[in-house]
Amino acid sequence: MVLSGALCFRMKDAALKILYVHDNQLLAGGMHAGKVMKGEEISVVPNRFLDISLSPVILGVQGGSQCLSCGTGQEPTLKLEPVDIMELYFSHKESKSFTFYRQDTGLTSSFESAAFPGWFLCTVPEADQPLRLTQLQGEDSGDNHITDFYFQQCD
């Protein structure tokens, strides 16, 4: 089945902080100027050119006009890049830097970089901090990074 458009999801970290865009960064928080925010709609498409059994997904924001990327350097650098999510979906070009392997663990999911195995999307306990990457995953990792996310389709 080929998609005609991206699917819409909302993400919260395990501490229930929502994801939102501010100054071209994806942040995790909850209240802004005293108002509870609804959170960013996350556009999602599968990466059709990687092993489907690993649940490879491309994540976009602002209607899929910007996509989350780990970059192409020696070390991953998480950033939003002005790339149309549907172009990545249909293109045969290498798009591993935009791809994350979604791993479901009960009610939550974690997202491992396809380009940098062992690096996971994460937040920190403090509110209104950028989404980032960490090499450590899970409760016993000894750090304060939150790698589990509630990942629910939009209403």
Side-chain angles (χ1 to χ4, degrees), residues 19 39 68 87 97 149:
L19 301 184
L68 206 53
E87 282 182 29
S97 64
F149 295 87

Side-chain angles (χ1 to χ4, degrees), residues 48-59:
R48 301 182 308 146
F49 306 103
L50 295 177
D51 184 351
I52 196 85
S53 70
L54 298 174
S55 299
V57 293
I58 298 170
L59 305 173

Side-chain angles (χ1 to χ4, degrees), residues 65-123:
S65 64
Q66 294 189 64
C67 292
L68 206 53
S69 167
C70 293
T72 56
Q74 294 278 26
E75 291 282 311
T77 304
L78 194 64
K79 60 187 169 191
L80 289 173
E81 291 194 29
V83 177
D84 183 86
I85 195 167
M86 294 310 291
E87 282 182 29
L88 293 173
Y89 176 69
F90 286 114
S91 175
H92 287 278
K93 288 184 198 168
E94 173 64 51
S95 57
K96 261 190 173 180
S97 64
F98 294 98
T99 304
F100 297 87
Y101 295 123
R102 176 181 168 195
Q103 301 166 357
D104 292 331
T105 51
L107 296 175
T108 60
S109 299
S110 62
F111 296 87
E112 181 179 14
S113 169
F116 295 93
W119 288 84
F120 292 82
L121 287 180
C122 71
T123 62

Side-chain angles (χ1 to χ4, degrees), residues 10-19 27-29 103 105-111 121-126 131 137-139 143-152:
R10 293 199 188 274
M11 288 176 72
K12 295 179 187 174
D13 70 11
L16 302 182
K17 293 189 302 295
I18 54 109
L19 301 184
L27 306 178
Q103 301 166 357
T105 51
L107 296 175
T108 60
S109 299
S110 62
F111 296 87
L121 287 180
C122 71
T123 62
V124 294
E126 298 79 33
L131 189 67
Q137 184 190 22
E139 307 262 339
D143 68 6
N144 289 330
H145 293 116
I146 301 166
T147 58
D148 292 325
F149 295 87
Y150 293 100
F151 191 67
Q152 298 171 319

